Amino acid sequence: MAAAELRTFTSIMDALVRISDNLKSMEHELRCPLCEEMVKQPIVLPCLHSVCVLCAADVLVQRGYPPPELPPEPNTPTSSPRTRSPRHARRPPPKTGVDRVLKTVCGTYPGRRRKDTPPLLMSFPCPTCKKDVELGERGLADCLRNLTLERIVER
């Protein structure tokens, strides 16, 4: 009887060790590659890797770009529709019929000059794949939040 109990105890301990190893591995996946802490407000870069939005902003400032406008850190990021999507805040108001016609016919509003200077394209060094990725002229505002990763970290 003692040998059977010992085998059962040993198999339970082996299972617990495997579970512990898996959790440590998963926890490593949930860390920001820049600050090495659990990600906070993770954003998805164009190369599809994720970093904390504050860490990304720090890197851009260190590279000489102007400080980006960052969303306020929510208490619970997934609790309301307003904090779920960064696109909600930047969605333009609906166009009236006249505006829509002028824009499609003229290409731009009459009397408006196009910008003479080319837009500033921000380049971000991805810490995971070690490549410089272009963020576009809006910088971090064009990067979407990684809500799946954010929810996993919350749990």
Side-chain angles (χ1 to χ4, degrees), residues 65-83:
Y65 294 109
E69 289 185 31
L70 299 174
E73 187 170 340
N75 294 335
T76 56
T78 58
S79 62
S80 73
R82 290 197 179 275
T83 58

Side-chain angles (χ1 to χ4, degrees), residues 33-98:
L34 293 169
C35 66
E36 296 294 326
E37 295 189 19
M38 296 296 256
V39 290
K40 291 182 182 174
Q41 289 184 291
I43 57 169
V44 180
L45 299 171
C47 60
L48 303 180
H49 292 115
S50 295
V51 294
C52 299
V53 69
L54 295 176
C55 294
D58 288 344
V59 169
L60 288 177
V61 169
Q62 289 172 2
R63 292 190 113 200
Y65 294 109
E69 289 185 31
L70 299 174
E73 187 170 340
N75 294 335
T76 56
T78 58
S79 62
S80 73
R82 290 197 179 275
T83 58
R84 286 185 185 163
S85 173
R87 292 180 181 214
H88 180 76
R90 58 183 147 144
R91 188 171 290 151
K95 294 180 179 167
T96 62
V98 173

